[in-house]
């Protein structure tokens, strides 16, 4: 996909991987709108020439704000990147159900809703794409993040189904699977982490090169290992 001159929307684009994706799309000539929850971070992105939309995607008000913010604009690229963690989730404690609900609404329900609302506009463009950012944990879930892993596995399944449904359309459906990346969400997690700039670079390169599945960093190896031994793939993901 040639992103030059195209309008892109990056959810969760004021921080972490999303911010790096937005910066690199902008550097490649795209016009980029980012969404986020922090007014301060959105102001910083606006100062760099980005369009901004404030909205918490865990609820309908945030979804409505994003849809209204791009209404009537020639959106050609939707990057569903916004996400929240639910690590160290204790599966037998009902007190954690509110955290689980927030995680599922942000990581799975919001991308589904945005796709539903924005697909008609994307189909109206000569060339368009949707990028759903899942995770290597969608392939190899870990016990400490059961709900987070489930949300990403659900988005992976939805992405694959969308790709089949839209196979004859002008909208390319892309899945990006990052490994553990150095962001605010993972700052309390020990172990090896990929830096956000390099992760975003692989994702943007995959978008521009026509990939439908972008396995980032060690997830390339994980995909191969998973095809042979899912148990070994889980051990690798937990280690890294």
């Amino acid at each position: 996909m040639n992103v030059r001159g195209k309008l892109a929307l990056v959810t969760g684009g004021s921080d972490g991987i999303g911010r790096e994706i937005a910066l690199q799309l902008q550097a490649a000539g795209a016009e980029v709108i980012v969404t986020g929850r922090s007014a301060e971070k959105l102001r910083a992105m606006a100062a760099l020439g980005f369009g901004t939309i404030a909205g918490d995607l865990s609820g309908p008000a945030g979804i409505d704000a994003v849809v209204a913010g791009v209404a009537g604009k020639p959106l050609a690229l939707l990057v569903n990147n916004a996400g929240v963690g639910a690590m160290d989730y204790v599966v037998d404690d009902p007190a954690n159900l509110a955290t689980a609900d927030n995680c599922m609404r942000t990581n799975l329900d919001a991308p589904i809703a945005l796709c539903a609302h924005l697909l008609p506009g994307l189909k109206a463009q000569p060339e368009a794409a949707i990028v759903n950012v899942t995770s290597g944990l969608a392939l190899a879930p870990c016990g400490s993040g059961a709900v987070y892993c489930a949300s990403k596995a659900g988005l992976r399944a939805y992405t694959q189904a969308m790709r089949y449904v839209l196979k004859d359309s002008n909208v390319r459906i892309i899945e990006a699977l990052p490994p553990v990346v150095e962001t605010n969400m993972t700052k309390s997690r020990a172990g090896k982490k990929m830096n956000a700039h390099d992760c975003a670079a692989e994702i943007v390169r995959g978008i521009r090169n026509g990939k439908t599945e972008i396995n980032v960093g060690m997830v390339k190896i994980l995909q191969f290992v998973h095809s042979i031994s899912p148990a070994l793939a889980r051990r690798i993901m937990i280690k890294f």
Side-chain angles (χ1 to χ4, degrees), residues 14 76 93-94 102 114-115 118 135 196:
S14 63
D93 185 353
N102 182 67
L114 289 176
C115 288
L118 301 179
S135 170

Side-chain angles (χ1 to χ4, degrees), residues 2 8 11 40 93 104 129 152 173 185 195 203 215:
N2 181 6
T11 67
E40 180 181 357
D93 185 353
M104 296 300 289
K152 293 300 187 177
I173 305 300
M185 191 173 76
N195 71 67
I203 293 172
N215 296 302

Side-chain angles (χ1 to χ4, degrees), residues 85-100:
M87 307 309 285
D88 301 319
Y89 184 89
V90 181
V91 296
D92 61 356
D93 185 353
N96 288 326
L97 289 175
T99 299

Side-chain angles (χ1 to χ4, degrees), residues 159-194:
T159 302
Q160 292 173 339
M162 281 186 69
R163 189 177 296 131
Y164 175 77
V165 171
L166 296 171
K167 65 182 185 299
D168 297 323
S169 79
N170 65 312
V171 183
R172 187 156 47 92
I173 305 300
I174 305 167
E175 180 184 10
L177 296 93
V180 180
V181 178
E182 183 67 58
T183 65
N184 284 330
M185 191 173 76
T186 64
K187 63 184 177 182
S188 63
R189 180 170 176 167
K192 186 177 180 181
K193 304 173 192 176
M194 187 176 196

Side-chain angles (χ1 to χ4, degrees), residues 50-238:
F50 293 93
T52 63
I53 302 172
D56 181 348
L57 296 182
S58 67
I63 301 292
D64 290 346
V66 173
V67 173
V70 297
K73 295 182 170 64
L75 185 67
L77 176 61
L78 167 62
V79 182
N80 281 312
N81 163 80
V84 296
M87 307 309 285
D88 301 319
Y89 184 89
V90 181
V91 296
D92 61 356
D93 185 353
N96 288 326
L97 289 175
T99 299
D101 186 47
N102 182 67
C103 181
M104 296 300 289
R105 283 188 281 109
T106 304
N107 296 0
L108 180 57
D109 295 351
I112 291 173
L114 289 176
C115 288
H117 283 291
L118 301 179
L119 256 173
L122 290 164
K123 287 180 177 179
Q125 302 306 311
E127 181 185 28
I130 295 171
V131 182
N132 289 332
V133 180
T134 63
S135 170
L137 290 168
L139 298 172
C142 66
S144 64
V147 175
Y148 179 82
C149 297
S151 72
K152 293 300 187 177
L155 185 57
R156 174 172 169 78
Y158 181 73
T159 302
Q160 292 173 339
M162 281 186 69
R163 189 177 296 131
Y164 175 77
V165 171
L166 296 171
K167 65 182 185 299
D168 297 323
S169 79
N170 65 312
V171 183
R172 187 156 47 92
I173 305 300
I174 305 167
E175 180 184 10
L177 296 93
V180 180
V181 178
E182 183 67 58
T183 65
N184 284 330
M185 191 173 76
T186 64
K187 63 184 177 182
S188 63
R189 180 170 176 167
K192 186 177 180 181
K193 304 173 192 176
M194 187 176 196
N195 71 67
H197 177 276
D198 290 349
C199 175
E202 290 200 32
I203 293 172
V204 172
R205 184 162 54 248
I207 295 169
R208 299 178 72 185
N209 289 344
K211 298 287 187 181
T212 56
E213 188 169 288
I214 306 168
N215 296 302
V216 181
M218 56 83 65
V219 177
K220 298 184 188 76
I221 300 170
L222 188 70
Q223 279 273 31
F224 173 73
V225 174
H226 187 267
S227 68
I228 300 170
S229 171
L232 179 57
R234 282 193 294 273
R235 289 199 294 272
I236 292 172
M237 198 65 194
I238 290 168

Side-chain angles (χ1 to χ4, degrees), residues 1-26:
M1 182 181 192
N2 181 6
V3 301
R4 182 169 296 279
K6 290 186 171 64
L7 178 62
L9 172 66
V10 182
T11 67
S14 63
D15 197 12
I17 299 170
R19 182 178 186 275
E20 289 294 336
I21 291 172
L23 287 167
Q24 293 180 38
L25 287 172
Q26 184 190 61

